[in-house]
Amino acid sequence: MGLDYIRAQTGKPFRKRWDGGLDRLKAPTLLDLTMSEASRVVTAQLNVSARVKAGDTLIVQNAADRLILSDGLRSIGHIENPTSEMTTAVRDGGGYARADLQRVGLFGDTAEVVIR
């Protein structure tokens, strides 16, 4: 009587209860992440004299083998070895692009930049 009573009162074993849960987790939901365009977040090297903060809007210029970041007329940093896709996108925009500064590094020598 004891074992039959316990099984009747507790329902399905734990593993069987979560069997359908795995299927529900794999199903698409309202907050699924889908990337519509290629992410253009890069790490830039900042100049020593650069005074920037997160949220600043910058200008990206195409140079010989790198991209130059500037805030108006003053150069504040550069992006070493950008991807060919990024270089082409800047070149197609007339040699200039807009960038938003997401985060400045702990020591102030690097920054994460989103190129628009």
Side-chain angles (χ1 to χ4, degrees):
M1 157 140 176
L3 186 58
D4 294 333
Y5 176 76
I6 292 172
R7 286 186 179 159
Q9 297 300 319
T10 59
K12 292 182 179 179
F14 180 76
R15 182 171 292 206
K16 287 185 181 178
R17 272 187 261 157
W18 276 98
D19 230 4
L22 184 60
D23 294 334
R24 284 193 306 272
L25 287 174
K26 289 181 181 178
T29 62
L30 179 64
L31 302 175
D32 278 342
L33 295 177
T34 55
M35 299 300 245
S36 60
E37 61 184 37
S39 179
R40 294 185 177 156
V41 179
V42 292
T43 301
Q45 303 296 322
L46 297 177
N47 296 341
V48 176
S49 62
R51 301 286 181 249
V52 292
K53 63 183 181 307
D56 285 353
T57 302
L58 306 172
I59 299 169
V60 179
Q61 301 177 36
N62 200 5
D65 60 341
R66 59 186 183 175
L67 298 175
I68 305 294
L69 289 173
S70 59
D71 184 17
L73 295 175
R74 62 189 172 97
S75 175
I76 61 165
H78 61 278
I79 300 169
E80 289 290 333
N81 301 324
T83 62
S84 60
E85 174 188 282
M86 194 173 299
T87 306
T88 305
V90 173
R91 190 180 316 120
D92 291 346
Y96 297 95
R98 181 179 144 228
D100 296 325
L101 198 131
Q102 268 191 341
R103 187 168 57 108
V104 179
L106 181 64
F107 300 112
D109 58 345
T110 60
E112 286 186 4
V113 180
V114 179
I115 298 179
R116 304 280 177 199

